[in-house]
């Protein structure tokens, strides 16, 4: 069944539709409950619904909708059918809900199943934690299904068209399966579902689940150019086929992905859940393996890399930015957050990264959650070359402006590149 896709709070949006989303039900039992003034709606989501944990609600059918809470009203009656409008609070837990209407008289109680629907984050609602004020940005980062990912090198930037496909058949269901297969849900489904009103929690789960290093994640990463038992990362042109394969094969990892594939799939999942998201490309992107904010490169006297080298500098690396409020942090860190699903280093024991506030990265606020030091090093680490000389001595050369060049994303409403380096770092010397 193709379930209604609704966005939480007083304004229910099905994609661009900004009206209340009505649910049509047969009217015989409902009219009876309405006439006697004893109509209640029961909404529940998750395997263990609970009002105490915010995953279950009982609310009356009233004369008008009450904003900021679960509320229902009969908006129209046509013969034996009526239209029941239901709204949620702006901090309701996202997911698939089952609705029923309970009616009673002095001697009789009856219940009627109204069906199911999906409830999502709502970037159109000012009270929602993912609210995005600018309409053109909302269109680009939530509604638009086709985009561009930047690749190549700092001196020769190339483009890859990508179908994010967040509204394609089955993609929302796959995205919710991502949440329901994460280890936290498997270990404690009640606590996990309780936190599904928080985009910080959701984005962290998505970051971990897009790779398969710790769980039944979506993609298997490979960088050795041996792809005979799967599909080369260079083959993919969209997220839809990847997500459908993963769901169809009972959540077995799809082979193979690299950074841009991980980032694009995460972007699709976040957008499908209602969280504004965009893919970012960082040129000369550093991978700091020992958390010292320095990229150490060891070369022999012929300029060849030595085996003891662990830190890396990639021609480019892609991640996702997700838009949200950070109620878990001091004031000032709302807005774009780095979420990186490529498995590079563990965070709290899991291969995930973020959400890291872009502002914290720029300001060097390394104590801010999550993983700000790692992302700071990706865009701003110093690079030290240790060059072994023929006489056995070692010469050091330090570069302070090599890492983090031409940080790029697709421009709003256009197929051109927007340089957002200034969001991540100050000009050298400032």
């Amino acid at each position: 069944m193709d379930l209604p896709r609704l966005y939480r709070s007083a304004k229910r949006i099905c994609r661009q539709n900004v009206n209340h989303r009505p649910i049509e039900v047969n009217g015989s039992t409902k009219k009876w409950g309405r006439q006697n003034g004893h109509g209640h709606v029961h909404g529940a989501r998750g395997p263990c619904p609970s009002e105490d944990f915010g995953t279950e609600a009982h609310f009356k059918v009233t004369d008008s909708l009450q904003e900021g809470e679960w509320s229902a009203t009969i908006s129209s009656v046509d013969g034996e059918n009526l239209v029941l409008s239901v709204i949620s609070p702006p901090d309701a837990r996202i997911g698939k809900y089952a609705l029923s209407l309970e009616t009673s008289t002095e001697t009789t109680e009856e219940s009627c199943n109204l069906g199911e629907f999906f409830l999502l984050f709502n970037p159109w609602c000012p009270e929602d934690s993912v609210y995005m004020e600018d309409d053109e940005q909302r269109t680009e980062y939530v509604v638009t299904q086709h985009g561009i990912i930047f690749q190549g090198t700092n001196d020769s930037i190339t483009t890859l068209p990508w179908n994010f496909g967040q509204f394609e058949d089955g993609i929302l269901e796959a995205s919710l399966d991502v949440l329901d297969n994460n280890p936290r849900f498997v270990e404690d489904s009640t606590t996990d579902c309780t936190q599904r009103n928080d985009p910080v929690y959701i984005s962290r789960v998505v970051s971990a689940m897009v790779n398969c290093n710790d769980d039944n994640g979506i993609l298997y990463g490979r960088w050795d150019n041996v792809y005979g038992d799967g599909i080369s990362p260079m083959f993919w042109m969209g997220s839809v086929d990847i997500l459908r394969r993963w769901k169809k094969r009972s959540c077995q990892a799809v082979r193979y992905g690299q950074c841009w594939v991980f980032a694009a799939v995460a972007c699709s999942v976040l957008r499908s859940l209602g969280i504004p998201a965009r893919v970012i490309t960082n040129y000369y992107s550093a991978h700091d393996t020992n958390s010292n904010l320095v990229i150490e490169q060891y070369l022999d006297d012929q300029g060849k890399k030595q085996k003891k080298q662990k830190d890396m500098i990639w021609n480019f690396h892609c991640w996702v930015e997700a838009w949200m409020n950070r109620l878990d942090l001091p004031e000032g860190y709302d807005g774009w957050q780095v979420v990186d699903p490529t498995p590079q280093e563990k965070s709290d024991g899991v291969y995930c990264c973020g959400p890291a506030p872009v502002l914290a990265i720029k300001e060097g606020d390394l104590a801010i959650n999550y993983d700000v030091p790692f992302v700071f090093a990706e865009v701003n680490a110093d690079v030290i070359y240790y060059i072994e000389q023929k006489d056995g001595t070692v010469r050091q050369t330090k570069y302070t402006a090599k890492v983090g060049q031409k940080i790029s994303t697709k421009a709003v409403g256009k197929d051109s590149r927007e340089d957002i380096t200034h969001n991540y770092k100050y000009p050298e010397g400032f």
Side-chain angles (χ1 to χ4, degrees):
M1 180 173 67
D2 186 16
L3 301 183
R5 175 193 300 245
L6 311 179
Y7 292 81
R8 63 187 190 174
S9 87
K11 287 194 175 179
R12 290 301 182 79
I13 303 127
C14 185
R15 301 183 188 179
Q16 296 102 305
N17 180 9
V18 295
N19 297 315
H20 294 296
R21 177 75 173 187
I23 301 173
E24 292 188 7
V25 295
N26 184 277
S28 57
T29 303
K30 291 39 162 213
K31 285 191 293 182
W32 169 51
R34 184 189 185 196
Q35 290 166 356
N36 288 275
H38 296 290
H40 290 75
V41 176
H42 174 223
R45 72 155 317 283
C48 302
S50 166
E51 289 192 80
D52 291 338
F53 289 100
T55 53
E56 184 178 34
H58 288 85
F59 46 101
K60 292 181 179 180
V61 179
T62 57
D63 292 335
S64 61
L65 293 171
Q66 308 299 312
E67 294 190 11
E69 61 187 58
W70 284 104
S71 178
T73 189
I74 297 173
S75 57
S76 65
V77 179
D78 181 11
E80 292 187 351
N81 295 311
L82 58 79
V83 174
L84 183 70
S85 291
V86 180
I87 62 172
S88 76
D91 61 349
R93 280 68 180 168
I94 67 165
K96 185 168 74 171
Y97 279 77
L99 276 185
S100 61
L101 182 63
E102 302 167 348
T103 58
S104 64
T105 65
E106 292 181 356
T107 58
T108 308
E109 293 184 359
E110 293 195 29
S111 179
C112 174
N113 178 32
L114 301 181
E116 298 175 320
F117 66 91
F118 295 120
L119 186 64
L120 310 178
F121 290 101
N122 186 353
W124 283 264
C125 174
E127 289 76 32
D128 199 290
S129 50
V130 301
Y131 174 63
M132 179 171 270
E133 184 176 7
D134 186 272
D135 184 61
E136 291 185 353
Q137 289 186 348
R138 282 198 306 264
T139 298
E140 180 69 43
Y141 302 134
V142 181
V143 178
T144 300
Q145 297 196 80
H146 295 275
I148 291 173
I149 298 173
F150 295 95
Q151 297 181 319
T153 67
N154 183 55
D155 298 321
S156 181
I157 294 175
T158 61
T159 59
L160 174 68
W162 196 270
N163 175 26
F164 294 104
Q166 64 267 29
F167 297 124
E168 295 289 332
D169 290 344
I171 299 308
L172 176 56
E173 290 87 342
S175 297
L176 292 172
D177 279 351
V178 168
L179 303 184
D180 288 347
N181 278 275
N182 92 82
R184 297 184 185 189
F185 178 84
V186 174
E187 293 168 5
D188 186 350
S189 60
T190 299
T191 301
D192 176 84
C193 288
T194 299
Q195 298 181 78
R196 293 192 186 180
N197 62 340
D198 181 6
V200 175
Y201 180 78
I202 294 294
S203 63
R204 196 154 172 80
V205 168
V206 170
S207 173
M209 283 295 297
V210 170
N211 70 73
C212 67
N213 288 46
D214 307 290
D215 42 47
N216 294 323
I218 299 168
L219 279 163
Y220 192 108
R222 194 158 193 168
W223 288 265
D224 60 4
N225 294 319
V226 180
Y227 309 119
D229 59 343
I231 296 174
S232 166
M234 277 62 76
F235 171 84
W236 304 112
M237 299 289 287
S239 306
V240 174
D241 191 25
I242 294 170
L243 286 164
R244 285 176 177 168
R245 284 172 184 249
W246 177 75
K247 183 173 174 60
K248 183 178 180 180
R249 297 175 182 178
S250 301
C251 306
Q252 293 184 9
V254 177
R255 300 171 183 251
Y256 290 101
Q258 290 185 10
C259 67
W260 68 93
V261 187
F262 286 109
V265 170
C267 186
S268 297
V269 172
L270 291 168
R271 287 184 183 182
S272 75
L273 298 176
I275 301 175
R278 60 184 185 180
V279 175
I280 308 299
T281 303
N282 177 40
Y283 292 93
Y284 290 137
S285 188
H287 179 177
D288 178 19
T289 59
N290 60 1
S291 305
N292 66 352
L293 307 182
V294 176
I295 304 303
E296 296 153 321
Q297 306 278 276
Y298 297 90
L299 309 178
D300 63 19
D301 59 0
Q302 302 298 315
K304 295 180 180 179
K305 293 181 179 180
Q306 297 182 344
K307 290 183 178 180
K308 63 180 176 180
Q309 178 168 307
K310 295 183 178 180
D311 291 345
M312 298 289 294
I313 300 177
W314 303 100
N315 286 338
F316 73 89
H317 178 62
C318 295
W319 57 70
V320 180
E321 284 181 0
W323 181 272
M324 66 190 71
N325 292 337
R326 291 301 301 269
L327 302 180
D328 59 317
L329 297 179
E331 198 171 326
Y333 294 106
D334 298 341
W336 289 119
Q337 316 284 319
V338 170
V339 178
D340 191 348
T342 300
Q344 297 184 90
E345 300 294 330
K346 288 188 175 183
S347 173
D348 292 335
V350 178
Y351 278 104
C352 67
C353 181
V358 172
L359 180 61
I361 297 162
K362 181 175 183 177
E363 298 297 336
D365 296 335
L366 304 184
I368 293 296
N369 283 339
Y370 291 91
D371 308 308
V372 171
F374 183 79
V375 185
F376 177 87
E378 287 185 298
V379 302
N380 216 12
D382 290 340
V383 181
I384 299 179
Y385 286 91
Y386 297 91
I387 307 170
E388 185 176 336
Q389 306 300 298
K390 290 184 178 180
D391 62 3
T393 61
V394 177
R395 177 168 57 90
Q396 294 185 26
T397 304
K398 183 177 181 179
Y399 296 89
T400 60
K402 185 178 180 70
V403 163
Q405 301 293 320
K406 295 183 180 178
I407 303 175
S408 305
T409 193
K410 179 186 174 298
V412 174
K414 298 181 288 187
D415 288 338
S416 57
R417 183 181 73 91
E418 180 183 356
D419 192 309
I420 59 170
T421 307
H422 61 280
N423 290 349
Y424 282 84
K425 55 200 295 188
Y426 290 100
E428 201 64 30
F430 283 78

